Amino acid sequence: AVYSGEADVTNDYFAYSIRSGLYGFDGTIVRATNNTLLGNAFGGNVADRDAAISLGSGGPQVIRNNNVVSNMFGMQCDSCVAVWDHNNVWGNTTNHAGDASADPSGVSFDPLFVSVSQGNLRLSPVSPLIDAGSTVGAPDHDWDGLARPSGLGVDIGADEWTLTDYTLVI
């Protein structure tokens, strides 16, 4: 949670939090870029603004290249001033709540993780999120410290898919 001031939240995983994954209180400025949020806010409620990404009044917020999947509420905003850019918001009980709405550059796809049951939330080689993000404000590395972008563009989420010696392509 961001209680006051400003915060840059980049290349992080927020999974299975009972309440919000990423919460910005009123008056804060949150810049969330290339994060993956899965299974959050199922113990929360609308009155408390619980969501995978929940923003109070204030801004300007920047929410870019995030993978928001299978949460109670995906994105939630109460009178916030936000730039929503190149996010994947898919399979949440409610994708957008409060004043949050889908952004024109956003997508809504199954991210095709490697294995949710084994806790591997990296993108599989056939994920539609590969090269689908924005280069604007994107970090130059991913969760694992690998270079970003590794292909034709930035991937959406915390992990940049990379062809390695351990990847078998048939």
Side-chain angles (χ1 to χ4, degrees):
V2 180
Y3 295 100
S4 64
E6 300 182 26
D8 291 309
V9 182
T10 307
N11 291 335
D12 284 311
Y13 286 94
F14 296 88
Y16 308 113
S17 296
I18 292 172
R19 304 289 298 267
S20 291
L22 174 57
Y23 191 102
F25 280 81
D26 290 341
T28 61
I29 296 175
V30 175
R31 289 175 295 274
T33 309
N34 287 93
N35 299 290
T36 296
L37 300 101
L38 174 84
N40 297 289
F42 282 98
N45 59 70
V46 176
D48 290 333
R49 304 187 306 207
D50 290 317
I53 297 177
S54 184
L55 304 173
S57 63
Q61 323 278 6
V62 178
I63 311 301
R64 180 176 288 128
N65 295 342
N66 296 286
N67 192 4
V68 182
V69 178
S70 298
N71 301 280
M72 178 62 129
F73 300 100
M75 303 236 195
Q76 200 288 138
C77 169
D78 283 337
S79 301
C80 67
V81 177
V83 173
W84 310 93
D85 184 27
H86 287 82
N87 297 291
N88 181 52
V89 183
W90 180 84
N92 303 285
T93 303
T94 301
N95 283 334
H96 300 91
D99 298 327
S101 61
D103 64 89
S105 61
V107 295
S108 186
F109 295 126
D110 180 343
L112 302 175
F113 293 123
V114 171
S115 177
V116 173
S117 65
Q118 294 180 3
N120 189 342
L121 302 181
R122 289 176 177 81
L123 301 177
S124 72
V126 295
S127 173
L129 305 185
I130 294 172
D131 299 335
S134 170
T135 58
V136 176
D140 62 1
H141 64 282
D142 72 354
W143 166 263
D144 296 313
L146 299 173
R148 186 189 295 269
S150 71
L152 299 176
V154 171
D155 299 348
I156 293 175
D159 192 65
E160 186 81 3
W161 187 83
T162 305
L163 182 64
T164 68
D165 293 339
Y166 303 105
T167 304
L168 177 62
V169 178
I170 299 174

